[in-house]
Amino acid sequence: NTTRERFIELERNARRQPLKANKKEQKLSQYSTNTLEMSKKEPLLDGGYDTAPMTSDDERDPNPNVIDITPEAYESDYHEDDDETEEAAQEKEITMLKLVMGVPYAASPSFWFLQIPAAVLVGVLVAGLGLAFFGAQMNVFQWWVDGLLEGEETYGPVYSSADENGFVVLEGLRNVGRGQGTYRWLAAFVTGGFLSALVLLFPCAPTIGSARTMFDEIVDLNPRTREAPFMLLHVFFALVSGMTIGPESALAILGAEIGSLIGSILRFDLRTKCLLILTGMTAGLGGFLPSPLIGSLMIVELTISARPDDIRMDAAVAALTGTRKKKKKNGDMERTDLMNQVFLTGIGCIASYAVIHKTFERVLPNIELPVFSDVEGDFDYMYILYGVPMGLICGLFGAIYFIMQGAAKGFFVRIGNGMSMCGLPKWCHVLLMPTLSALIQGCIAASYPLTLGTGTDVLVQLCILGFNKEADTAGIQNGDYGFLDPEYLLTSAFMNLLSLAMALGFGVIGGQIMPIVFSGVLLGFALPHYLPFIPLYIAVPCCTTGITASFLGTPFSFILMLMVL
């Protein structure tokens, strides 16, 4: 409030500057008039003029209304240099306040009584629909994975019975070792891939190979409402089939559509509507992350990457409306609204996080965590240097992933051109490529079951098993279900990247963040076997952050996420 009052005072003083200039001109005019009048007076003996105050009885007074201003009086009354210095200081202070504080969004009543309730509403709706979407997806996925295994076998974590406090102990992960999958999974993979491709044949569905991503939504803040239902249905079938794609694209699309819908129903202006779209995307991403702060930070980093020239909402509105940007005067600057964006996206993300994680507490098992103090050692400053080889290895994995995705994309285009030259209709290409991708991924998952799905259903359990008190070497002791050796973990990390590259390169719509994070965790648990001087508790977080930062401009978000985990 104090800063705002000072800002208003400075703005008021700036508006008064023309009045001061008018007073200066008036004094100059009065000085000229007075000089002319004094020239008519009789000179004194010393060569000056009679400047004594005039009275009404003075017979020599030609004009009693003339103001008595001599050059000395004028100079002492108006100090031009001092006023210019004061004005420059005030302008500098205004500029610094604009730079630091940005737009005074909190001074608007609509911010408190309209925008904040709307952001909370968006967050709650995104959380509810997101839970329904992924709850249905996970149930169908687990149903067919367990149903296609032999006998009474199941896939995934196994827990002990709950104790009196409601906690369960993780006993291990079943059927995640080398060759413990089954090729009967291919039926579900191919069926899901075909259904996801079939959705793309609808008239309003996105075009295969050129669908919008989460990054595109952040760039223009203009969701395609007609495409959104088909895109969500496509991602649903792809996730249900077990394809290695990330769910963040569906979450971002869902949040953007809800934000746009709320903005239209409440008849907000375009700028506020864009803010709600960004809030919905943040609520979709941050609600499922370990902390709501991660979602807001990730959106800020992605926004800077997507619109590096100007991240203001006014700039996004100008791009949507086609308004040309006015040229600023020298010394003027754009007033940022970044804090307005962070505040609203944070409010929506907190609301979504509260609903989602309260539901998780009631639905998911309460896992009793082991003691990690025996695994962690004393920090040594030499560990900072270990980041160099780990960063190079993660960068190499990122480069290999880009090469594989580019090769898959090139194959996708060549197949399409070849089918067109043979006279086959376009829908044949649309149905073939996602189905072929699902078939290849099914073969990989049968031999390397850790590549099944996005990896989020076993990520936390892998970390718990890998960091238990008996873990002093590379690899993961999987309870009574065997040992996941470093060679298998390293190969699974590579195969997971290959499956992701095949899916996205062959036209499947999906994200890539969570599969890359999962590959980084696998790489971290395998790396100390090949570089024994790197401790396990250093390798896992560094590899997870390094491999994601190799292709995404959000390093601080992932560092914070690993700290929270």
Side-chain angles (χ1 to χ4, degrees):
N1 290 335
T2 304
T3 306
R4 177 173 171 268
E5 291 174 0
R6 177 59 179 159
F7 185 81
I8 294 174
E9 178 185 354
L10 291 172
E11 291 281 10
R12 188 182 297 115
N13 292 339
R15 288 193 296 268
R16 287 176 177 174
Q17 297 303 322
L19 299 178
K20 183 180 291 186
N22 293 336
K23 290 181 179 179
K24 177 180 177 181
E25 294 177 358
Q26 182 181 1
K27 287 189 176 184
L28 286 172
S29 176
Q30 292 172 348
Y31 169 69
S32 301
T33 305
N34 195 34
T35 303
L36 178 62
E37 294 296 333
M38 284 190 297
S39 63
K40 300 177 182 179
K41 300 180 183 180
E42 297 180 359
L44 300 178
L45 295 177
D46 58 357
Y49 291 90
D50 184 7
T51 58
M54 298 182 183
T55 61
S56 56
D57 300 332
D58 195 342
E59 298 178 356
R60 298 177 302 166
D61 187 4
N63 187 3
N65 295 324
V66 174
I67 300 176
D68 181 24
I69 301 180
T70 62
E72 292 79 11
Y74 170 74
E75 290 295 337
S76 62
D77 185 66
Y78 186 86
H79 299 282
E80 182 178 1
D81 294 339
D82 294 343
D83 286 343
E84 288 182 354
T85 303
E86 183 181 354
E87 293 172 10
Q90 290 184 356
E91 290 178 0
K92 184 177 180 180
E93 187 174 357
I94 291 175
T95 302
M96 291 302 298
L97 284 173
K98 289 181 179 179
L99 178 64
V100 176
M101 303 302 296
V103 176
Y105 60 93
S108 173
S110 64
F111 173 77
W112 298 100
F113 301 107
L114 293 177
Q115 293 182 12
I116 289 182
V120 174
L121 179 61
V122 169
V124 172
L125 290 178
V126 170
L129 293 178
L131 285 171
F133 181 88
F134 288 105
Q137 178 262 318
M138 289 300 299
N139 286 329
V140 175
F141 170 77
Q142 195 68 40
W143 170 75
W144 73 255
V145 169
D146 294 343
L148 293 176
L149 287 171
E150 296 181 359
E152 300 295 328
E153 291 291 323
T154 59
Y155 172 86
V158 179
Y159 302 103
S160 65
S161 301
D163 59 13
E164 62 228 5
N165 296 323
F167 287 96
V168 297
V169 177
L170 177 64
E171 297 181 348
L173 294 172
R174 183 178 291 172
N175 292 316
V176 298
R178 181 185 283 108
Q180 292 182 355
T182 175
Y183 283 95
R184 284 185 289 184
W185 285 347
L186 292 177
F189 269 92
V190 173
T191 302
F194 179 79
L195 291 176
S196 66
L198 194 64
V199 172
L200 300 179
L201 294 179
F202 284 86
C204 295
T207 304
I208 186 171
S210 60
R212 289 170 59 84
T213 63
M214 177 180 64
F215 200 76
D216 298 322
E217 297 286 349
I218 297 176
V219 169
D220 57 12
L221 298 177
N222 186 23
R224 307 293 190 265
T225 304
R226 292 186 177 182
E227 294 182 1
F230 300 99
M231 192 176 296
L232 291 173
L233 192 59
H234 169 87
V235 175
F236 177 81
F237 284 126
L239 291 173
V240 163
S241 69
M243 288 189 185
T244 308
I245 59 172
E248 60 272 5
S249 61
L251 291 170
I253 293 167
L254 179 64
E257 291 298 331
I258 292 177
S260 177
L261 178 63
I262 296 299
S264 300
I265 292 176
L266 299 180
R267 299 183 181 276
F268 284 131
D269 55 31
L270 187 55
R271 182 184 178 277
T272 306
K273 186 177 178 181
C274 289
L275 275 173
L276 292 181
I277 292 173
L278 199 65
T279 301
M281 298 175 67
T282 309
L285 292 175
F288 289 89
L289 294 175
S291 170
L293 179 61
I294 303 173
S296 297
L297 181 58
M298 183 178 294
I299 285 295
V300 170
E301 290 187 288
L302 289 174
T303 302
I304 294 174
S305 301
R307 293 184 271 119
D309 295 335
D310 200 339
I311 64 173
R312 298 175 304 118
M313 284 293 106
D314 292 337
V317 171
L320 288 173
T321 58
T323 306
R324 295 184 62 182
K325 186 177 179 181
K326 296 182 180 179
K327 186 177 181 181
K328 286 286 184 181
K329 298 180 181 179
N330 293 333
D332 288 349
M333 61 194 313
E334 302 287 1
R335 299 181 66 179
T336 178
D337 59 353
L338 181 59
M339 292 308 300
N340 191 4
Q341 299 179 38
V342 172
F343 199 104
L344 281 183
T345 56
I347 289 293
C349 194
I350 291 172
S352 175
Y353 177 87
V355 173
I356 291 174
H357 284 263
K358 196 66 177 178
T359 305
F360 283 171
E361 290 178 3
R362 295 179 175 272
V363 176
L364 299 180
N366 240 345
I367 305 176
E368 184 177 354
L369 298 178
V371 179
F372 296 113
S373 58
D374 296 336
V375 182
E376 298 178 357
D378 295 331
F379 180 79
D380 191 344
Y381 287 102
M382 284 296 296
Y383 294 162
I384 299 176
L385 299 179
Y386 296 164
V388 176
M390 286 188 289
L392 294 175
I393 293 172
C394 293
L396 178 62
F397 265 75
I400 292 174
Y401 164 72
F402 277 118
I403 293 173
M404 292 189 298
Q405 185 178 0
K409 185 69 175 179
F411 183 75
F412 171 84
V413 174
R414 285 176 177 246
I415 292 296
N417 294 336
M419 295 178 73
S420 298
M421 293 176 61
C422 295
L424 296 176
K426 186 177 180 181
W427 59 266
C428 294
H429 182 241
V430 175
L431 293 178
L432 173 65
M433 299 310 294
T435 307
L436 180 61
S437 173
L439 177 63
I440 297 174
Q441 291 188 64
C443 295
I444 295 175
S447 300
Y448 300 93
L450 283 177
T451 64
L452 187 64
T454 63
T456 55
D457 50 340
V458 296
L459 175 61
V460 176
Q461 290 81 358
L462 276 178
C463 292
I464 292 175
L465 293 172
F467 285 122
N468 60 46
K469 60 183 178 180
E470 300 176 356
D472 55 356
T473 59
I476 297 176
Q477 182 59 46
N478 190 18
D480 297 333
Y481 301 97
F483 178 71
L484 304 179
D485 58 88
E487 291 83 0
Y488 172 65
L489 295 176
L490 181 64
T491 309
S492 297
F494 176 79
M495 289 298 178
N496 195 56
L497 293 178
L498 177 61
S499 298
L500 176 62
M502 294 286 290
L504 300 183
F506 281 10
V508 179
I509 303 172
Q512 52 188 355
I513 295 179
M514 291 312 300
I516 293 287
V517 170
F518 188 64
S519 295
V521 171
L522 297 178
L523 177 61
F525 279 112
L527 193 61
H529 175 74
Y530 303 97
L531 300 176
F533 56 88
I534 299 180
L536 190 66
Y537 61 90
I538 297 294
V540 174
C542 289
C543 288
T544 306
T545 308
I547 199 170
T548 50
S550 64
F551 72 98
L552 271 181
T554 57
F556 297 105
S557 303
F558 287 109
I559 292 173
L560 179 61
M561 181 168 63
L562 289 171
M563 290 173 63
V564 175
L565 284 175

